[in-house]
Amino acid sequence: MALLAPAISGEVGLRLLLAPLSSNIVIRTASCAVGIGLPVYSTFRAIEKKDEKEKERLLLYWAAYGSFSIAEVFADKLLSSVPLYYHVKFAILVWLQFPSNSGSKHVYKRYLRPFFLKHQAKIDRFLNILSKELTKFVSSHEDEIRFIENMAIRGATTANYIVNGLDQPEETRAVNTIEGPNTTVTEEAGVSGTET
């Protein structure tokens, strides 16, 4: 029985170690760390050090990564069912990132630059129309956007009080007024009322 215990614990440990690999949790986490986490920190360092060569390399990486991510969104259902897809994705992200092989520079020069040069006028027209429509939408819903902004600020303030274990200041506890697009809601000691 004493000889059986190490064999069982070793088998259980091996199964626990390999279980995430079969569900792609480990490789997806590694892809996120290598594909986003490391480049974000590298971008921070390049900006702080004012290293223009490193900034250019990282801009090429982000352009290639962004294009890869857009393609992945549209092909996600198909790609996620392909065996070892996340392992291949991890390898591609590593290839794009390292300066020695210039993967992102290759993708930019070979695919992205020609595509954008060919379609630049169409893309600019589309973005101009989108910008105008977004501006119209924002200006026509300005009251609702301000209401949501106020609610978000109040929610964040309340969460901060809860997380830090602080009581709300006396003046906020006495009367909480939330102004909406067309109404004002006043809460006093748990009683709600609506004014128009």
Side-chain angles (χ1 to χ4, degrees), residues 109-123:
K109 285 185 175 182
R110 180 99 163 113
Y111 302 104
L112 296 178
R113 187 170 188 271
F115 174 82
F116 286 123
L117 287 174
K118 182 178 178 181
H119 300 288
Q120 185 174 5
K122 292 176 191 172
I123 294 169

Side-chain angles (χ1 to χ4, degrees), residues 139-156:
S139 61
S140 67
H141 296 287
E142 197 169 341
D143 291 339
E144 291 88 350
I145 292 170
R146 279 206 184 105
F147 174 72
I148 292 169
E149 178 185 24
N150 288 336
M151 291 298 293
I153 290 169
R154 292 184 58 76

Side-chain angles (χ1 to χ4, degrees), residues 13-63:
L14 186 59
R15 284 185 185 205
L16 286 174
L17 190 62
L18 295 177
L21 292 177
S22 63
S23 65
N24 292 321
I25 292 171
V26 172
I27 195 69
R28 290 175 80 177
T29 303
S31 291
C32 186
V34 167
I36 299 171
L38 184 60
V40 165
Y41 182 70
S42 298
T43 302
F44 160 76
R45 287 190 52 185
I47 291 169
E48 292 300 313
K49 289 183 177 182
K50 297 176 179 32
D51 184 346
E52 295 303 318
K53 188 175 180 180
E54 186 68 4
K55 285 181 192 177
E56 181 181 344
R57 184 186 75 77
L58 287 162
L59 278 172
L60 291 171
Y61 171 78
W62 286 117

Side-chain angles (χ1 to χ4, degrees), residues 57-98:
R57 184 186 75 77
L58 287 162
L59 278 172
L60 291 171
Y61 171 78
W62 286 117
Y65 177 81
S67 302
F68 180 78
S69 294
I70 289 170
E72 188 179 35
V73 165
F74 291 108
D76 184 48
K77 295 292 181 197
L78 176 69
L79 293 175
S80 63
S81 63
V82 173
L84 299 177
Y85 165 70
Y86 292 105
H87 296 77
V88 172
K89 178 182 176 180
F90 179 78
I92 289 171
L93 292 173
V94 169
W95 175 73
L96 286 174
Q97 202 170 131
F98 283 106

Side-chain angles (χ1 to χ4, degrees), residues 168 172-177 185-194:
Q168 283 187 324
T172 1
R173 218 176 325 148
V175 177
N176 291 328
T177 303
V185 177
T186 305
E187 297 177 357
E188 293 183 37
V191 179
S192 297
T194 304

